[in-house]
């Protein structure tokens, strides 16, 4: 059944990589929620070079490839974050109707 499903995604819909990325993000979301329960901050990271990450950590040798990275850590209690994180003003991001 699994082989048939993967064949359908690979050859029928031709969206196997896209489907696998969706599955990865479901796991990332659950991991982020679990981290929050433990008081750990988490954020997904995109915009990286997956080939260099795979090479550095020898990911391809395991038969896998990198689709997303996640940073985990504790906030610095000495820093007080009072400004919004967004790089743009609200009126540049939203259109109110």
């Amino acid at each position: 059944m699994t082989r048939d499903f993967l064949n359908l995604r690979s050859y029928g819909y031709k969206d196997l990589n896209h489907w696998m990325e969706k599955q990865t993000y479901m796991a990332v979301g659950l991991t982020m929620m679990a981290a929050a329960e433990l008081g750990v901050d988490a954020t997904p990271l995109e915009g990286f070079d997956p080939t260099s990450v795979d090479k550095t950590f020898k990911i391809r040798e395991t038969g896998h490839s990198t689709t997303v990275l996640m940073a985990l850590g504790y906030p610095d209690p000495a820093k007080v974050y009072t400004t919004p994180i967004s790089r743009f003003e609200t009126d540049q991001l939203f259109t109110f109707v």
Side-chain angles (χ1 to χ4, degrees):
M1 184 174 143
T2 302
R3 186 177 310 127
D4 290 341
F5 182 78
L6 291 176
N7 283 336
L8 176 66
R9 288 295 179 184
S10 295
Y11 306 111
Y13 296 124
K14 295 183 172 51
D15 69 344
L16 181 62
N17 286 340
H18 180 70
W19 177 81
M20 286 191 301
E21 287 174 358
K22 287 181 181 179
Q23 303 308 303
T24 301
Y25 272 97
M26 288 192 317
V28 166
L30 290 171
T31 302
M32 291 175 67
M33 288 190 293
E37 284 292 317
L38 297 171
V40 177
D41 285 348
T43 188
L45 305 169
E46 290 187 338
F48 61 92
D49 179 14
T51 304
S52 64
V53 172
D54 290 350
K55 184 177 179 182
T56 301
F57 293 102
K58 298 179 174 48
I59 302 293
R60 292 288 167 112
E61 286 87 336
T62 67
H64 299 90
S65 60
T66 305
T67 57
V68 66
L69 300 175
M70 185 180 349
L72 296 163
Y74 296 100
D76 185 349
K79 290 187 177 180
V80 177
Y81 300 98
T82 58
T83 58
I85 296 173
S86 177
R87 294 183 179 127
F88 300 102
E89 297 297 324
T90 304
D91 61 341
Q92 290 179 295
L93 295 173
F94 303 101
T95 301
F96 297 95
V97 182

